[in-house]
Amino acid sequence: MSKIIIANWKMNPQSPKEAEKLFSSVKKEAKNVKNTKIIVCPPFLFLHLFKKFKHKNISLGAQNVAKETEGSFTGEISSKMLSSMEVSHVIVGHGERRSMGETNEIINAKILNLLKFKIFPVLCVGEGNRDKEGFYLSFVADQVKDCLKGVTSSQVKNIIMAYEPLWAIGKDASREATKEEFMEMKIFIRKIISDLYGSKVAHNIPVLYGGSVNYLNAKSFIEEGADGLLIGRDSLNPQKFSAILNTLK
Ligand code: 13P
């Protein structure tokens, strides 16, 4: 399986010019990577800039989508609109969106919509804190089960899972997860999917790690067994992003 590296630009950068510059640097770097698929997720507003600007190792992703298909939903963007921009992947259930009130039920509706339009959902799950009793495991199990409701076994093959513990995300992160914490979760997520869809299907679902990934820790997550990485801050800095890609060569 080739590795999946997702650049989640979040609400950055602030102008189309800067976005083009950043994308060009990724494009340059992408020429040298092997067995790696890079998915760049800019803000909606900049997607059109990159529709015709891609590279064989780069796909275009979005950071969110509406749960409805069309109609009077001020400020929303539909799966069909994203498909018309040649967006192939969409991040759903990101911790930062969950903290704005997005529930598993809403995320589930988004996933079902994306699948109808043949867009790959990148489903983020992760706990807010790790309690000693292990309740975080049932919390993540519920996220996986509730978000995949109604997804058929042929559709689930198109889902990418990302484990992003909330305590490891963004500039206020306390720390990144350890390789062992990630692997425990990868096995656990695969087990839940296996209970729902069978072990063969579960085995082929990529499970990525996200949360304070940088060039110092990227390789160790991949070596430990991550199928890819979901990168926030360090995807905004061409040198840092290129250093991450270089460690994976
Ligand atoms: P950071 O890499 O900035 O911690 O962000 C992780 C993330 O939220 C990616 O989706």
Side-chain angles (χ1 to χ4, degrees):
M1 214 193 273
S2 60
K3 300 294 170 216
I4 302 167
I5 304 298
I6 305 184
N8 179 7
W9 289 2
K10 305 191 179 181
M11 201 167 70
N12 304 290
Q14 300 304 311
S15 71
K17 210 170 161 189
E18 288 168 282
E20 277 176 342
K21 206 169 147 203
L22 189 54
F23 197 91
S24 297
S25 69
V26 179
K27 225 173 125 180
K28 207 167 120 207
E29 217 43 60
K31 286 195 185 112
N32 306 320
V33 299
K34 285 198 188 76
N35 291 328
T36 304
K37 186 171 190 57
I38 302 169
I39 302 164
V40 179
C41 303
F44 287 139
L45 198 62
F46 301 144
L47 287 172
H48 73 102
L49 298 172
F50 310 126
K51 190 178 160 194
K52 298 265 177 289
F53 195 49
K54 286 180 286 173
H55 176 272
K56 67 175 168 44
N57 293 337
I58 306 180
S59 300
L60 198 53
Q63 301 170 21
N64 188 25
V65 65
K67 74 178 193 326
E68 296 84 7
T69 43
E70 62 178 288
S72 307
F73 301 102
T74 304
E76 293 293 299
I77 303 285
S78 71
S79 297
K80 195 170 182 177
M81 291 171 188
L82 293 178
S83 170
S84 76
M85 284 294 135
E86 293 177 19
V87 163
S88 57
H89 294 74
V90 173
I91 298 171
V92 283
H94 192 281
E96 286 156 7
R97 296 217 57 88
R98 289 180 189 264
S99 70
M100 294 174 208
E102 210 163 273
T103 61
N104 289 335
E105 198 182 3
I106 294 173
I107 296 159
N108 176 240
K110 293 181 176 193
I111 290 175
L112 294 174
N113 253 324
L114 290 170
L115 291 169
K116 268 190 218 144
F117 286 90
K118 310 242 174 305
I119 298 175
F120 297 93
V122 179
L123 170 57
C124 301
V125 295
E127 75 285 355
N129 65 301
R130 282 196 170 214
D131 54 300
K132 288 203 174 63
E133 293 75 26
F135 288 118
Y136 68 94
L137 291 169
S138 54
F139 180 81
V140 171
D142 286 346
Q143 287 184 324
V144 177
K145 285 187 254 179
D146 293 350
C147 292
L148 292 181
K149 262 191 195 136
V151 173
T152 66
S153 52
S154 64
Q155 287 176 320
V156 82
K157 293 174 188 147
N158 297 322
I159 304 261
I160 296 171
M161 296 297 307
Y163 173 56
E164 287 212 327
L166 303 191
W167 43 266
I169 294 176
K171 65 175 174 29
D172 297 326
S174 46
R175 59 176 177 91
E176 71 260 36
T178 63
K179 297 176 293 184
E180 293 75 20
E181 285 167 335
F182 167 72
M183 274 316 282
E184 172 198 61
M185 247 335 157
K186 175 174 171 176
I187 294 164
F188 184 69
I189 289 168
R190 285 249 172 99
K191 168 80 174 85
I192 300 157
I193 297 176
S194 169
D195 291 346
L196 294 170
Y197 299 98
S199 59
K200 201 165 161 228
V201 172
H203 187 76
N204 288 314
I205 303 238
V207 184
L208 318 188
Y209 171 72
S212 299
V213 172
N214 56 47
Y215 78 97
L216 294 172
N217 61 23
K219 193 172 183 172
S220 63
F221 282 110
I222 297 288
E223 282 177 349
E224 191 70 12
D227 301 305
L229 302 165
L230 182 42
I231 306 165
R233 282 160 294 164
D234 282 10
S235 70
L236 295 168
N237 179 313
Q239 284 78 31
K240 289 183 176 172
F241 193 60
S242 138
I244 292 175
L245 292 174
N246 276 316
T247 65
L248 307 181
K249 271 185 198 160

